[in-house]
Amino acid sequence: MNKNELAVQMVKDSSITKNDAIKVIDGFVNIISEEMMSKGGKVTLVGFGTFKTLDKKQKKGRNPRTGEEIIIPRKRVVKFVPGKELKELVK
């Protein structure tokens, strides 16, 4: 499902227009993104899941072509942990 399909489904399930649905989706994505950019960003939607950031440490790796040892720089990544209710629905 893409953003447009999600907006159409929201219109079917509520009394809002498609343009309003797209604004809601965009707002939701912006809020989550801004929180992820802040230090220790975490957004929890009870029953659905938690979006959070993790800091990965710098580590050694190997270039698969040459076998040469390289340094993989540290980075921040986003992780989604599904909630209990979502896990049950997917089973």
Side-chain angles (χ1 to χ4, degrees):
M1 177 178 281
N2 62 31
K3 182 167 85 169
N4 192 43
E5 293 167 338
L6 179 60
V8 169
Q9 189 63 44
M10 288 174 69
V11 168
K12 288 179 185 176
D13 294 344
S14 65
S15 61
I16 62 174
T17 66
K18 185 176 176 186
N19 285 338
D20 288 342
I22 289 174
K23 287 178 186 177
V24 168
I25 294 167
D26 288 340
F28 177 77
V29 169
N30 287 337
I31 291 167
I32 299 286
S33 299
E34 287 174 12
E35 185 62 28
M36 295 295 102
M37 289 188 298
S38 71
K39 186 172 175 122
K42 180 177 175 181
V43 177
T44 300
L45 302 171
V46 176
F48 182 70
T50 301
F51 297 90
K52 60 184 178 179
T53 57
L54 297 174
D55 291 320
K56 298 273 188 160
K57 295 180 180 179
Q58 177 177 301
K59 62 184 179 180
K60 292 182 183 178
R62 294 214 174 263
N63 181 330
R65 285 191 184 156
T66 64
E68 176 187 359
E69 191 173 275
I70 58 173
I71 300 295
I72 301 169
R74 68 185 186 106
K75 63 182 175 179
R76 178 178 274 183
V77 296
V78 175
K79 182 175 182 179
F80 176 74
V81 180
K84 182 179 178 183
E85 291 175 26
L86 182 59
K87 285 180 188 178
E88 292 297 320
L89 285 172
V90 174
K91 278 187 178 180

